Amino acid sequence: VLRNAVDVEEAEVEKCVRDIMKEKKIEQKDTGFKTNLHISLLQISGYKKLYLNVENLRKVPYDSENEEHEEQLIELWNLLMPHENLKARISKQWCDIGFQGDDPKTDFRGMGLLGLVNLVYFSKHYTNEARQILSRSNHPKLGYSYAIVGINLTEMAYSLLKNGALKAHLYNVVSGLPQMEHFHQFYCYLVYEFDKFWFEEEPESIMHFNQYREKFHEKIKGLLLDCNVVLTLQD
């Protein structure tokens, strides 16, 4: 009964709770236990479901023929560069927000649409912070490619979700089913904290990016070991 409980669908949680209580001879009128077990099973099954949803978005390749994909890309530009018009879809201007070449679609290869959705989410929900960090990323000595680093941090958030490291964080953030929103919020935390970390560390050059990224990754993994951890930005 317990083994089946961790893979239960949302609609079957109630019955599953009753079955466990019966099996373990816990009185059905013990409402405190019943409520906590119900929440726990939702969190456990919800974590798996969230991972599948994130993975499905990651598997969607960026498609420049897809109107929705293109709209999100243009929205990213407008959120970050409100006072500058994008002169053409294929343009050197994309480098101004930290893409590598004239067409950002090539930079999304590893993380697919997930990378773009994360970048847009941060820029939309924390617009001032996103513009500030973009501005800081143009620092003459400590600068880095804003969009490329953003996609790299999507990979970090994704891998932490995949290997189960985000469990304590998500269980503390939501007493029930974690949603895509909660994954995006964790990503926003990473972007904000990485920028702070990068400037505190003062790397000699962007050539050392991988070394400092790994150091930051280890720092986050350490924080996530705390069973009371909550890593979110406050609105």
Side-chain angles (χ1 to χ4, degrees):
V1 171
L2 283 171
R3 237 180 255 119
N4 293 337
V6 295
D7 292 313
V8 74
E9 286 294 320
E10 186 183 353
E12 295 158 4
V13 167
E14 195 68 53
K15 179 185 180 300
C16 199
V17 168
R18 284 199 304 272
D19 290 348
I20 290 171
M21 291 178 77
K22 185 181 171 187
E23 202 66 39
K24 293 291 181 185
K25 299 181 173 55
I26 298 161
E27 290 193 27
Q28 294 289 336
K29 60 174 182 278
D30 186 344
T31 53
F33 180 86
K34 189 182 281 189
T35 302
N36 287 335
L37 182 58
H38 192 276
I39 289 169
S40 298
L41 290 181
L42 281 178
Q43 289 177 320
I44 292 166
S45 61
Y47 189 93
K48 293 180 177 183
K49 201 170 175 184
L50 174 62
Y51 167 67
L52 289 175
N53 290 340
V54 168
E55 173 68 353
N56 286 338
L57 194 55
R58 187 189 73 84
K59 282 180 181 169
V60 177
Y62 184 89
D63 179 7
S64 50
E65 300 296 310
N66 186 310
E67 209 173 299
E68 279 180 30
H69 295 191
E70 288 286 289
E71 278 172 11
Q72 285 190 71
L73 186 59
I74 301 304
E75 183 181 13
L76 178 65
W77 174 270
N78 291 334
L79 284 163
L80 292 172
M81 304 290 276
H83 306 303
E84 194 177 321
N85 286 331
L86 189 64
K87 295 181 176 69
R89 169 59 183 80
I90 309 288
S91 165
K92 288 257 185 288
Q93 285 175 287
W94 289 113
C95 297
D96 296 344
I97 60 171
F99 285 104
Q100 278 178 324
D102 299 355
D103 190 350
K105 78 171 185 182
T106 56
D107 293 326
F108 292 117
R109 277 185 197 135
M111 285 292 111
L113 202 57
L114 183 64
L116 176 59
V117 170
N118 272 168
L119 281 168
V120 171
Y121 185 95
F122 181 60
S123 303
K124 190 186 274 186
H125 291 82
Y126 300 96
T127 310
N128 291 338
E129 289 82 354
R131 288 174 187 166
Q132 253 172 352
I133 291 171
L134 174 62
S135 173
R136 278 158 64 88
S137 76
N138 290 317
H139 189 281
K141 184 175 180 294
L142 298 172
Y144 58 85
S145 300
Y146 175 82
I148 294 295
V149 169
I151 295 166
N152 203 292
L153 292 171
T154 289
E155 195 281 325
M156 189 182 293
Y158 163 77
S159 67
L160 289 166
L161 179 73
K162 185 179 182 178
N163 68 21
L166 279 190
K167 282 179 181 175
H169 162 74
L170 285 171
Y171 293 169
N172 292 331
V173 166
V174 54
S175 57
L177 290 166
Q179 306 293 333
M180 188 67 86
E181 176 94 5
H182 300 111
F183 177 78
H184 293 328
Q185 284 287 342
F186 175 68
Y187 167 81
C188 294
Y189 171 86
L190 287 185
V191 175
Y192 189 80
E193 289 299 318
F194 178 80
D195 179 73
K196 270 195 335 197
F197 173 83
W198 181 260
F199 277 88
E200 282 163 10
E201 292 285 328
E202 297 188 353
E204 282 177 45
S205 81
I206 194 67
M207 301 307 288
H208 298 102
F209 174 77
N210 286 342
Q211 175 192 335
Y212 285 93
R213 180 211 189 269
E214 208 37 55
K215 192 175 176 184
F216 179 69
H217 193 189
E218 290 303 316
K219 179 186 174 184
I220 297 297
K221 282 196 284 191
L223 294 173
L224 289 169
L225 293 175
D226 177 1
C227 62
N228 296 311
V229 68
V230 172
L231 303 182
T232 53
L233 287 179
Q234 299 307 310
D235 279 309

